[in-house]
Amino acid sequence: MSINLKVKLVTKQQLKPDIFKFGIKAEKMVDMAKPGQFLEIRVTDNIVPFLRRPISIYNVDKQNGIIEFIFQVKGEGTKILSNKNIGEEIEVLGPLGNGTFKVIENKRVAILGGGIGVFPLYELAKNLKNKSEVNIYLGFRNKDAVVLEQEFQALANKLTITTDDGSYSIQGFAINELKKDIEKEKIDYIYACGPLQMLKAIRDLSIQKNIPCQISLEERMACGVGVCLGCAVKKTEIVEGEFQYAHVCKDGPVFDAKYVNI
Amino acid sequence: MNTEVNFAGIKMKNPVTVASGTFGFGREYSELFDLNQLGAIITKGVSYEPKIGNKSPRVCETPAGMINAIGLENLGVDHFIEYDLPFLHKFDTAIIVNAFGGPGGTVEDYVKVCEVLNKLDIDAVELNLSCPNVCTGCMAFGTTYDGVKQVTSACRKVLTSKPLIVKLTPNVTDITIPAKAAEEAGADAISLINTFSAMVIDVETRRPILGNNTGGLSGPAIRPIAVRMVYQAAQSVNIPILGLGGIMTGNDAIEFMLAGATAISIGSGNFYSPDTSINVLNGIKEYLTKHNIEDINSIIGTVKMN
Ligand SMILES: Cc1cc2nc3c(=O)[nH]c(=O)nc-3n(C[C@H](O)[C@H](O)[C@H](O)COP(=O)(O)OP(=O)(O)OC[C@H]3O[C@@H](n4cnc5c(N)ncnc54)[C@H](O)[C@@H]3O)c2cc1C
Ligand SMILES: Cc1cc2nc3c(=O)[nH]c(=O)nc-3n(C[C@H](O)[C@H](O)[C@H](O)COP(=O)(O)O)c2cc1C
């Protein structure tokens, strides 16, 4: 279930020069939302920019009826969004996506995030806390890019942070730290969101080690609900009577890693 | 106030329809608003056999619009009959099935799907002779007088019990030529316009953004051209016209009707907001009230040229 609502911006926080955290009052959406889902946000009442911007849900605050999302300013659309002030109305369609993160219980799980891909993993980690042993691996470009460390720390049994250049914490890619741990101890389930290269690597690793793995994908989209078939991603196997492509907005954005051929 | 129109024999409670490829088969948007309010639903293009779509990216935003190269991805007419048609029958709105000769794109492929559609409980068939995103068939037929005539005549022969709407491409110098070809071949109506062939290049990678390189331009950016083409077509044929291209508001829809359209469609506007079609309907009613117009039919084609 999803709904198109005009909602009020109730909290706004600038986490980095180019990264913003917004809270919207959306009582009707909070009970529908599942970890991994996203919103299609209209950034203007004009016809430029024409399409909505897909942004993942970061946190669902059921008690206060607030949904939070975090975004990086990339181009025109996110720039306009970042200039909204508290109290302003925004039209939001959501929560969207039928492919969501499965909350696994009584297992040892790993969450792998890279860069701005860490945002949708927070709501997942929140749901996993106290249900499974949660090991979180987050990779960033450098010290300046590290975000939400304390937030994830509060949810993790173990948090590992890496930076590509070693300017903070361990130098290297987060996936390599996860790899080391897989060699040492059993990991039952992996969740990942981040740059395509990272997702390809974790897909290969999970297949090789035979560990179930869910990945969250991005693709350019128009409708966000599954009617335009714009956000296509190739499936690994061709099944008669089914599309040979999956569609990120409707079938995803979270997929079983084996199912998609990225 | 009367908003009912008779479009090519289809009684519609209002002239507001949703365009092929922008509304799926109604399922997704039925969760977001009451589809019974629409004059008609025009389905995603269906072909006799399933057709795979193009590689990603398939969509790209442009100023006041977008380009798409979906590639007419669909699961075939049998799947439509089994899965989508029973769902559409739940609603009190006309069902217009958009069809094309896929995957081969030959005249025979067009005829085959029409033979099947002729037997179904649907209100009309809209033939897509105008998709710019597939290599063979479709737009290749739609850009010439002979091509439009050939496919329309062949489909007319087998579509004995359903109104036939021919959807025209704007990628022509003179829209009245394919419009007349459709009329002479026995079409009950024409719809225009489909998208303009277009391209966007990423200057960093020096490659087109779309996987298919080119795609079809839609949205408010194309509206003035669409209005001009509807006007020209209305001057040259006597069959009714379904007008579309960038409609976002009631006034946009009225523009098309003044130019000569009996009914209108919202396409990409659905992506801007799922509420667009209902906003258009309300806007039309406001216009009629404001101008003391009793019957919407009285404004069709009444533009006064300077
Ligand atoms: C399911 C999903 C969830 C996402 N979640 C987040 C999030 O939580 N936080 C965040 O910062 N970003 C997220 N993104 C990426 C975000 O949608 C883009 O950064 C944003 O659309 C860029 O818009 P723009 O106008 O600033 O950039 P422009 O480059 O000017 O945008 C032009 C067009 O390209 C599209 N586009 C550009 N980059 C992307 C991209 N990576 N994915 C899909 N479409 C794109 C835009 O939507 C727009 O239609 C997500 C993307 C998807 C598909
Ligand atoms: C994503 C997308 C898919 C489309 N698919 C079809 C299709 O399958 N068959 C068809 O005849 N037209 C198709 N069209 C064209 C639209 O029906 C319409 O003619 C065009 O978009 C212009 O209207 P608009 O500016 O309101 O979008 C498609 C358009 C879009 C944007």
Side-chain angles (χ1 to χ4, degrees), chain A residues 47, chain B residues 15 192 220-232 234-235 241-265 280 283-284 287-288 291 293 296 299-305:
Chain A
I47 50 171
Chain B
L192 63 152
I222 69 171
R223 193 173 62 236
I225 314 180
V227 171
R228 184 263 294 173
M229 288 187 160
V230 166
Y231 173 75
Q232 289 177 324
Q235 301 310 301
I241 295 173
L242 175 78
L244 73 160
I247 295 176
M248 301 292 289
T249 67
N251 281 355
D252 297 345
I254 296 290
E255 237 191 287
F256 277 86
M257 297 191 75
L258 292 172
T262 301
I264 58 95
S265 269
V280 167
I284 289 174
Y287 177 89
L288 298 181
H291 296 275
I293 298 163
I296 193 160
I299 69 162
I300 297 169
T302 57
V303 60
K304 292 174 276 193
M305 299 310 273

Side-chain angles (χ1 to χ4, degrees), chain B residues 36-303:
Chain B
N36 295 304
Q37 298 177 82
L38 296 170
I41 292 173
I42 308 182
T43 70
K44 172 70 189 163
V46 295
S47 47
Y48 186 72
E49 305 258 8
K51 183 172 179 318
I52 345 171
N54 292 325
K55 59 178 179 223
S56 276
R58 292 178 174 183
V59 291
C60 168
E61 188 180 67
T62 59
M66 60 179 283
I67 58 173
N68 87 83
I70 307 300
L72 295 173
E73 181 172 49
N74 83 99
L75 293 170
V77 72
D78 288 342
H79 183 271
F80 165 74
I81 294 169
E82 199 179 317
Y83 183 73
D84 298 304
L85 189 56
F87 176 79
L88 285 166
H89 279 149
K90 290 190 204 163
F91 300 95
D92 174 26
T93 181
I95 303 167
I96 301 177
V97 180
N98 181 281
F100 70 99
T106 63
V107 179
E108 292 71 45
D109 290 328
Y110 273 92
V111 170
K112 268 203 290 220
V113 70
C114 286
E115 275 170 347
V116 178
L117 295 175
N118 191 49
K119 293 182 217 129
L120 304 181
D121 180 12
I122 57 174
D123 295 283
V125 174
E126 179 183 59
L127 274 194
N128 179 2
L129 295 189
S130 44
C131 179
N133 302 327
V134 286
C135 310
T136 47
C138 282
M139 198 173 91
F141 288 119
T143 49
T144 65
Y145 177 87
D146 290 341
V148 172
K149 201 151 185 187
Q150 187 192 1
V151 186
T152 309
S153 307
C155 294
R156 176 77 286 175
K157 280 201 196 96
V158 297
L159 272 174
T160 50
S161 69
K162 303 281 179 253
L164 169 60
I165 306 162
V166 173
K167 186 162 178 183
L168 303 179
T169 174
N171 297 296
V172 293
T173 323
D174 182 355
I175 194 72
T176 65
I177 293 172
K180 278 192 202 125
E183 182 177 45
E184 287 166 17
D188 298 292
I190 49 176
S191 53
L192 63 152
I193 57 179
N194 206 314
T195 55
F196 285 93
S197 184
M199 179 159 79
V200 175
I201 296 170
D202 180 331
V203 296
E204 297 304 323
T205 62
R206 301 191 181 190
R207 288 172 178 279
I209 289 192
L210 294 186
N212 188 56
N213 297 323
T214 60
L217 180 66
S218 63
I222 69 171
R223 193 173 62 236
I225 314 180
V227 171
R228 184 263 294 173
M229 288 187 160
V230 166
Y231 173 75
Q232 289 177 324
Q235 301 310 301
S236 69
V237 297
N238 293 312
I239 49 178
I241 295 173
L242 175 78
L244 73 160
I247 295 176
M248 301 292 289
T249 67
N251 281 355
D252 297 345
I254 296 290
E255 237 191 287
F256 277 86
M257 297 191 75
L258 292 172
T262 301
I264 58 95
S265 269
I266 288 89
S268 318
N270 294 306
F271 309 152
Y272 181 81
S273 174
D275 301 334
T276 303
S277 53
I278 300 311
N279 292 342
V280 167
L281 177 59
N282 293 334
I284 289 174
K285 288 180 184 160
E286 274 167 38
Y287 177 89
L288 298 181
T289 307
K290 184 173 149 206
H291 296 275
N292 287 317
I293 298 163
E294 284 291 313
D295 182 359
I296 193 160
N297 290 281
S298 68
I299 69 162
I300 297 169
T302 57
V303 60

Side-chain angles (χ1 to χ4, degrees), chain A residues 2 4 42 44-47 49-53 91 220 223 225 227-230 232 242-243 245 247 250, chain B residues 22-24 28-29 31-32 52-56 58-59 61 64-65 70 73 75 220 268 271-273 275:
Chain A
S2 55
N4 185 47
R42 202 166 91 197
T44 172
D45 284 338
N46 298 322
I47 50 171
F50 186 64
L51 296 176
R52 293 180 180 222
R53 297 302 188 254
E91 198 176 305
R220 281 175 188 261
C223 70
V225 297
V227 302
C228 80
L229 310 179
E242 282 184 20
F243 284 122
Y245 286 90
H247 301 97
K250 192 176 179 186
Chain B
T22 68
F23 212 78
E28 292 79 8
Y29 283 125
E31 282 188 23
L32 296 168
I52 345 171
N54 292 325
K55 59 178 179 223
S56 276
R58 292 178 174 183
V59 291
E61 188 180 67
I70 307 300
E73 181 172 49
L75 293 170
S268 318
F271 309 152
Y272 181 81
S273 174
D275 301 334

Side-chain angles (χ1 to χ4, degrees), chain A residues 24 44 99 180-181 213 238:
Chain A
I24 51 170
T44 172
K180 285 183 207 162
D181 286 353
C213 173
I238 294 166

Side-chain angles (χ1 to χ4, degrees), chain A residues 7-19:
Chain A
V7 296
K8 264 214 169 82
L9 180 61
V10 288
T11 60
K12 174 177 177 176
Q13 215 184 327
Q14 188 162 7
L15 305 183
K16 299 270 169 195
D18 61 342
I19 295 183

